Amino acid sequence: MGKIENGINGGFTGTVGAVTGYYLNGKWVIRSKRRKSIKNKTGSADQKACRSRFTIMQTFLSPIVAFIRIGFNLESKKRMMTAHNVAKSYNMLNAQNAAGEIDYAAVRLSYGNLSGAEGLSWNMTMQVYISAGRIMLTAITPGNMTR
């Protein structure tokens, strides 16, 4: 059952017949219902490799999605995508090789034109004091990325 928002000229949420409506990134979206595909469920070798790369990046980014929502917020609004999708797209193109291995030095968790911290070193007893502005820190142990 669909639900009309803002009268007859507004969008709707839900399903009406073969059409589904929803609200995404400030816009009403209407699309046809998905049909089950019999063809190519297992996929070719290239499709399997692409799905594998996608899964590896998804597994890497999922635990830090709250961090990514802040870091890619402005870029996601420009592209009309979610911050997680923008981060995944950028990192799959720039920080992942064809075999799916992640180059941790090339990973970006934020996007914009402000320069990042350079020459920063960290130890476990270090305390961070900030007088003005904001700082976001994350530590990733590459060998321990299982969920």
Side-chain angles (χ1 to χ4, degrees):
M1 176 177 87
K3 195 175 185 183
I4 295 178
E5 305 287 335
N6 301 326
I8 196 162
N9 292 326
F12 72 95
T13 58
T15 303
V16 178
V19 178
T20 301
Y22 58 96
Y23 194 73
L24 178 68
N25 295 326
K27 292 186 178 183
W28 288 102
V29 179
I30 298 173
R31 67 178 179 195
S32 62
K33 284 174 69 174
R34 297 187 313 190
R35 296 183 204 154
K36 288 189 175 182
S37 172
I38 300 170
K39 179 183 171 187
N40 222 5
K41 281 194 176 185
T42 59
S44 67
D46 287 342
Q47 286 173 325
K48 288 180 182 178
C50 185
R51 291 173 188 168
S52 175
R53 289 182 67 233
F54 191 87
T55 301
I56 290 167
M57 189 56 69
Q58 178 72 24
T59 303
F60 172 71
L61 294 176
S62 289
I64 52 176
V65 71
F67 194 96
I68 287 169
R69 283 186 185 135
I70 296 166
F72 278 87
N73 184 31
L74 293 176
E75 188 65 18
S76 70
K77 288 179 180 176
K78 280 187 209 171
R79 294 191 196 183
M80 298 297 289
M81 297 168 65
T82 65
H84 188 262
N85 285 349
V86 174
K88 192 181 329 174
S89 173
Y90 177 87
N91 287 308
M92 285 183 74
L93 291 171
N94 298 294
Q96 194 175 30
N97 65 19
E101 297 166 345
I102 297 173
D103 175 13
Y104 294 98
V107 168
R108 286 186 91 171
L109 302 179
S110 63
Y111 193 89
N113 52 5
L114 291 177
S115 62
E118 294 180 16
L120 180 70
S121 63
W122 179 268
N123 63 41
M124 295 306 285
T125 59
M126 186 173 165
Q127 294 181 357
V128 177
Y129 297 98
I130 302 167
S131 60
R134 294 167 59 181
I135 187 170
M136 293 177 15
L137 300 172
T138 188
I140 298 171
T141 307
N144 191 16
M145 292 304 294
T146 57
R147 285 184 96 189

